[in-house]
Structure formats: C-alpha cells, structure tokens
Amino acid sequence: MLARATGARVPLVAMDAMTLGIRTGTFDSAVLAFVLFHVPDPSAALAEVRRVLRRQGAVGVTTWAEDPVTKAGQIWDEELSGCGAWDPSPQPPDHESMNTPAKVGRLLSAAGFTPGRVWIERLEHQWDMPRFTALRTHFGATKRKLDTLELRKRETCLDQIGERMSHVEAGDLVCRGAAICVTAAA
Ligand SMILES: C[S@@+](CC[C@H](N)C(=O)[O-])C[C@H]1O[C@@H](n2cnc3c(N)ncnc32)[C@H](O)[C@@H]1O
C-alpha cells in the first residue's frame, strides 16, 4: 500500500499498531480497516490509537461479520493442505472476538472510546482468474503456505490447483461478505 501511495502529499510510514511512534494527541482521526483482528492484543491496539488521537478525535473500524470461503478459495485450501503446505504465521487472525457489532462496540468502549454509528456493509466482488491467482500467490495465508514448499513441490501444487481451477465457473469466483463498520469518539 505504501508503494502504491507514492504520489501522496502527506508523510507515509509503516509502524506496529501496538506501539505507534506518534506523540499523544496528534491526530483528528484514525482508520483501522480490516486490521484489528490481526493484532496480538486488539484492546491494547485500540487504546494506543486513542492515545494518539486528539480529544474528540474519531476512529473508524471495520471487521468481518461474514467472510465465507468461495468454492475457488476452497480448491486452493484443499490442494495446499494435500501438498503438505502449512501456514507459519505465529498468529492467525482472530475474527471470533469481533464478528458482531456488539463485540466491536465492547472492544471500543473498553479502550475508552464512545461508540457512534454502527452498520453492516454487504460486499460482493466478482474476481477474474488472473487477479484471483495473483492475490493468492502474492498475499496472505496462501502465499505464506506456498512459501513453505520447496520449488518443485510448489510448481506441482500450482499445476494441480491450475487444473482444478480450469473447471470453475464465474460464480465460484464471487466473494460475498458482510463488514461491520463502526465509528467512535476518543
Ligand atoms: C487485511 S489487510 C487490510 C489492509 C487495508 N487496511 C485495507 O483495507 O485494504 C491487513 C493489514 O494489517 C496489517 N497489520 C497486521 N498486523 C499489524 C500490526 N501489528 N500493526 C500494523 N499493521 C498490521 C497488515 O500489514 C495488512 O496490511
């Protein structure tokens, strides 16, 4: 994302959300879009975000209420497991603790925020095969899993996936999800 934002007219920096290198009371607003379930301690991360916001600053948070695996995604998961690939991530995402508006609201309140608007946004996206494949081979859990395979095994595995993917229909590449969107005041 930073690489893509090269034209931005604001400073760009990557930091751990758990310990922001930013002075207390600096920003008017902060956005955590599909990030909170990745951090080791969501309450501590929210408290850290609140610390860097000005009084009456605002935060926007999105998490997944529903993020079902597509049939095409299932093929990738099955074939990767069959090839012996595994996810070396020390910490899988924790969707369970923030998959309802009430749970997200409680997390925000526990960190000292006053929850404001809460709504569910339904999302639908039709992938095409090249982009779906690029996403799986370049990002996230499938990339991490592929990277655990030695080169020849990885190629064999990708061939097997490619063979099964050649039979999928457009509908198998439709992602449907529901995102929880919450705004809150610091
Ligand atoms: C699902 S992506 C969402 C990216 C972006 N917000 C969006 O909506 O497209 C999750 C992001 O959380 C970031 N992330 C995970 N753990 C983090 C941490 N401890 N501190 C900061 N960012 C983290 C990852 O690098 C990744 O970019």
Side-chain angles (χ1 to χ4, degrees):
M1 292 181 79
L2 290 178
R4 287 197 155 213
T6 47
R9 288 193 218 128
V10 291
L12 301 170
V13 62
M15 298 180 184
D16 185 352
M18 297 296 301
T19 49
L20 297 170
I22 294 167
R23 280 198 198 99
T24 298
T26 300
F27 291 119
D28 296 315
S29 59
V31 174
L32 290 93
F34 306 107
V35 169
L36 203 54
F37 39 73
H38 283 300
V39 301
D41 184 342
S43 300
L46 285 173
E48 180 66 346
V49 169
R50 185 164 176 262
R51 179 186 70 75
V52 303
L53 285 173
R54 294 191 182 126
R55 279 180 67 184
Q56 291 309 305
V59 68
V61 175
T62 57
T63 63
W64 287 115
E66 297 162 27
D67 185 21
V69 180
T70 58
K71 193 170 166 197
Q74 211 175 320
I75 289 174
W76 277 76
D77 292 344
E78 285 168 8
E79 292 300 325
L80 284 165
S81 300
C83 292
W86 55 285
D87 187 353
S89 171
Q91 195 196 302
D94 171 18
H95 295 291
E96 186 60 36
S97 70
M98 54 192 86
N99 59 1
T100 68
K103 289 181 188 175
V104 181
R106 276 197 293 275
L107 278 172
L108 283 159
S109 299
F113 283 102
T114 307
R117 262 189 85 202
V118 182
W119 72 101
I120 303 259
E121 198 77 47
R122 297 220 158 256
L123 311 168
E124 182 171 313
H125 180 67
Q126 171 75 65
W127 287 96
D128 60 40
M129 197 65 84
R131 281 175 193 240
F132 189 83
T133 307
L135 178 77
R136 299 268 148 175
T137 50
H138 288 79
F139 297 101
T142 46
K143 181 195 184 312
R144 290 194 299 272
K145 288 180 186 177
L146 272 174
D147 288 348
T148 64
L149 300 175
E150 55 94 6
L151 198 61
R152 280 189 55 175
K153 191 136 199 206
R154 180 190 157 104
E155 277 169 13
T156 308
C157 196
L158 284 172
D159 285 347
Q160 287 167 206
I161 292 170
E163 206 286 318
R164 284 187 68 189
M165 290 294 283
S166 67
H167 302 293
V168 304
E169 293 166 5
D172 301 330
L173 287 162
V174 177
C175 285
R176 290 186 185 85
I180 299 165
C181 310
V182 184
T183 61

